[in-house]
């Protein structure tokens, strides 16, 4: 008999079941995986870690391999609207009943082993992909790398996108510490693609210690923008006049370049023609990252929540909305670098609207006010009952030709997409 008959029931229980919401370590989840996993054959696996850019890279992998005709499993986090977004087969979120069935199988074999919310989800994704007969699985690391549940699987290619300060309570307070944690996904004699030309030495040193095959952008591969399109190249291979990535921002050329390198590494097992790469660059989809909603004024959604991600946002705004007045609906989690983000955006935003979120991790209005005052940032609108009130006030104030920017948290973007579809 199943413990619950609905996905909401399973998820509510998982949120309370394990004593720690984040419990890094592989022993418990690896043991349950050993009991659970039917081993019909080794599925080619790509693991993606990094501070920013993971979601974009997974989207490119999905689009490229699907364009080639492969059946693709993708596991990502967090979700924006529905939990099912985390587990996709051929870019479609799996149905509730499939997730519930996977949770039931996990519950049946775990015995007295306690699992966290994220560990249940990771095991469910791996179980579903095995039963769906996918040709390749793309696994996004949720937090760090070395001790993240995704790391129970040995990848055929490991990709690290970028390294920046984030999640310091779990990963360390320096880029060197964080680099070592991200390098935990690397394996001996396995391609280790690094999409950050300025990656900390700790990441490269850890890769060498593991005897991984290091392939870093700017060294083993690179790209060059042209008057029309762009070129990607290694010493042995060159793809010319590729279409501009559909996901916007200069950093997307770096993300796409790293993905092409990883795809090239797997050519012997998963052959991909250049036409599929081109199509994938044009068809990748990712909610909440530079997502532009047409209108007058238009609305721009961005889930970026650390200074590195906001630097990419600023670059995009400079290129696409250089002289446009910006109204920012804003919220962040209290464990993020709020003053760092505000300091970067202060000269670009004309009016701020502080949106309350129903999340215990969200920074409350008094804390946000404190940071705004410390940085001497004015034009702050506050006192709203909920997100909708803050957004509607921004809509009332924004004139035609201006821009409403909703940024700072996945949860904030989720509020918009759920209430104003």
């Amino acid at each position: 008999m199943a413990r619950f008959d609905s996905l909401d029931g399973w998820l509510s229980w998982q949120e309370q079941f394990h004593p720690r919401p984040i419990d890094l370590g592989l022993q418990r989840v690896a043991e349950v995986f050993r009991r659970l996993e039917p081993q019909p054959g080794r599925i080619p696996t790509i693991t993606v870690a990094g501070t920013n850019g993971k979601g974009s890279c997974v989207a490119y992998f999905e689009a490229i391999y699907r364009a080639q005709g492969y059946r693709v499993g993708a596991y990502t986090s967090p979700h924006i609207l529905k939990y099912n977004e985390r587990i996709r087969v051929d870019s479609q979120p799996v149905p509730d009943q499939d997730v519930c069935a996977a949770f039931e199988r996990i519950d049946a074999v775990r015995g007295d082993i306690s699992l966290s919310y994220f560990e249940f989800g990771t095991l469910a994704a791996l179980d579903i992909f095995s039963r769906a007969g996918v040709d390749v699985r793309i696994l996004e690391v949720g937090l760090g790398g070395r001790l993240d549940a995704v790391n129970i699987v040995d990848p055929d290619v490991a990709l690290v996108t970028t390294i920046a300060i984030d999640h310091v309570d779990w990963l360390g307070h320096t880029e060197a510490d964080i680099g070592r944690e991200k390098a935990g996904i690397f394996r001996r004699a396995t391609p280790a693609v690094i999409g950050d030309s300025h990656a900390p030495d700790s990441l490269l040193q850890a890769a060498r210690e593991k005897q991984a095959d290091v392939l870093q952008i700017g060294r083993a591969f690179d790209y060059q923008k042209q008057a029309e399109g762009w070129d990607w190249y290694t010493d042995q291979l060159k793809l010319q006049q590729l279409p501009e990535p559909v996901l916007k921002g200069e950093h997307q050329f770096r993300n796409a370049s790293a993905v092409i390198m990883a795809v090239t590494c797997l050519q012997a097992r998963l052959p991909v023609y250049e036409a599929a790469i081109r199509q994938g660059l044009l068809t990748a989809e990712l909610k909440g990252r530079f997502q532009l909603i047409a209108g007058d004024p238009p609305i721009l959604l961005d889930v970026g929540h650390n200074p590195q991600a906001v630097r990419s946002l600023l670059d995009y705004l400079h290129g696409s909305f250089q002289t446009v007045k910006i109204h920012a609906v804003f919220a962040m989690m209290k464990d993020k670098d709020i003053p760092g983000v505000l300091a970067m955006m202060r000269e670009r935003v004309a009016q701020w609207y502080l949106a309350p979120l129903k999340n215990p991790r969200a920074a409350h209005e008094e804390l946000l006010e404190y940071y705004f005052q410390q940085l001497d940032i004015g034009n702050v609108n506050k006192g709203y009952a909920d997100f909708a009130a803050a957004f509607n006030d921004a809509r009332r104030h924004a004139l035609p030709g201006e821009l409403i920017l909703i940024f700072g948290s996945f949860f904030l973007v989720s509020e918009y997409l759920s209430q104003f579809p």
Side-chain angles (χ1 to χ4, degrees):
M1 177 108 179
R3 187 183 294 272
F4 301 100
D5 59 4
S6 71
L7 181 55
D8 286 343
W10 277 107
L11 296 176
S12 296
W13 174 70
Q14 289 170 19
E15 288 173 346
Q16 306 298 324
F17 173 60
H18 194 66
R20 300 172 63 186
I22 297 176
D23 193 359
L24 297 177
L26 302 181
Q27 185 174 355
R28 291 173 297 99
V29 68
E31 172 57 26
V32 178
F33 184 54
R34 185 190 65 78
R35 301 177 189 178
L36 174 74
E37 171 74 347
Q39 299 279 351
R42 182 73 173 81
I43 303 172
T45 300
I46 301 169
T47 300
V48 182
T51 306
N52 296 303
K54 298 188 296 292
S56 299
C57 287
V58 173
Y60 290 127
F61 279 125
E62 280 187 285
I64 289 170
Y65 281 119
R66 289 201 65 218
Q68 189 61 46
Y70 291 113
R71 188 163 171 78
V72 182
Y75 175 55
T76 60
S77 65
H79 61 277
I80 292 182
L81 293 177
K82 289 192 65 180
Y83 182 89
N84 312 58
E85 297 167 21
R86 296 174 180 236
I87 307 173
R88 302 187 296 277
V89 175
D90 285 344
S91 297
Q92 296 301 309
V94 297
D96 283 12
Q97 61 265 29
D98 291 359
V99 183
C100 289
F103 286 155
E104 186 177 346
R105 289 189 289 269
I106 295 163
D107 198 31
V109 302
R110 69 176 178 81
D112 60 356
I113 297 175
S114 178
L115 297 170
S116 70
Y117 178 93
F118 184 77
E119 289 165 342
F120 264 105
T122 302
L123 291 169
L126 296 173
D127 181 65
I128 288 167
F129 295 156
S130 291
R131 294 171 186 276
V134 300
D135 299 307
V136 58
R137 55 189 176 187
I138 318 298
L139 308 178
E140 178 188 333
V141 170
L143 181 63
R146 181 175 63 93
L147 297 176
D148 186 88
V150 162
N151 207 31
I152 61 176
V153 176
D154 292 327
D156 296 278
V157 175
L159 168 61
V160 171
T161 56
T162 61
I163 303 294
I165 304 297
D166 204 358
H167 300 296
V168 294
D169 291 342
W170 295 281
L171 305 182
H173 288 76
T174 69
E175 289 190 0
D177 291 338
I178 294 170
R180 280 188 287 271
E181 290 297 319
K182 306 289 187 189
I185 67 170
F186 296 153
R187 298 293 192 274
R188 184 179 182 276
T190 300
V193 178
I194 300 173
D196 186 347
S197 61
H198 301 292
D201 290 340
S202 63
L203 180 74
L204 301 171
Q205 178 61 30
R208 287 190 288 267
E209 290 172 358
K210 289 175 173 287
Q211 298 182 325
D213 181 12
V214 178
L215 300 163
Q216 186 180 14
I217 192 169
R219 297 182 180 181
F221 66 98
D222 214 335
Y223 73 94
Q224 185 172 13
K225 295 171 71 173
Q226 305 292 355
E228 292 188 11
W230 60 291
D231 299 339
W232 177 92
Y233 56 91
T234 69
D235 288 342
Q236 294 82 33
L237 180 64
K238 187 170 187 177
L239 304 180
Q240 295 180 288
Q241 292 186 304
L242 292 170
E244 183 173 328
V246 66
L247 305 179
K248 299 306 179 186
E250 180 67 29
H251 61 293
Q252 294 298 350
F253 290 93
R254 298 190 294 273
N255 290 335
S257 293
V259 166
I260 294 172
M261 184 74 257
V263 168
T264 301
C265 291
L266 281 178
Q267 282 285 33
R269 292 192 68 183
L270 295 169
V272 171
Y273 294 120
E274 183 178 330
I277 292 175
R278 291 176 175 275
Q279 185 176 338
L281 293 173
L282 292 171
T283 57
E285 296 181 359
L286 184 65
K287 286 182 180 177
R289 198 68 175 112
F290 299 172
Q291 183 177 350
L292 190 62
I293 312 296
D296 197 6
I299 299 163
L300 181 66
L301 310 178
D302 191 65
V303 298
H305 51 265
N306 56 56
Q308 187 184 67
V310 171
R311 169 52 59 194
S312 296
L313 172 61
L314 277 170
D315 290 343
Y316 174 70
L317 291 171
H318 181 75
S320 300
F321 298 95
Q322 186 170 3
T323 61
V324 173
K325 182 178 179 180
I326 294 175
H327 298 255
V329 182
F330 177 74
M332 282 184 71
M333 299 297 105
K334 59 189 174 186
D335 60 340
K336 302 302 180 183
D337 184 3
I338 299 172
V341 167
L342 293 179
M344 295 176 71
M345 294 294 290
R346 61 180 300 168
E347 301 301 328
R348 198 64 191 86
V349 174
Q351 291 284 336
W352 296 84
Y353 305 81
L354 305 187
L357 294 177
K358 299 172 184 175
N359 186 302
R361 288 179 51 216
H364 52 76
E365 188 173 275
E366 291 78 10
L367 179 60
L368 292 178
E369 278 190 88
Y370 169 78
Y371 287 128
F372 276 94
Q373 290 170 1
Q374 289 292 304
L375 292 165
D376 195 26
I377 300 175
N379 298 322
V380 180
N381 302 277
K382 59 189 180 181
Y384 302 108
D386 51 24
F387 165 81
F391 171 68
N392 284 327
D393 198 31
R395 265 203 307 204
R396 281 191 293 271
H397 284 91
L399 300 175
E402 297 178 347
L403 175 71
I404 298 175
L405 169 64
I406 300 174
F407 87 106
S409 170
F410 274 88
F411 299 103
L412 191 65
V413 171
S414 174
E415 288 276 359
Y416 172 83
L417 290 174
S418 62
Q419 296 184 52
F420 301 91

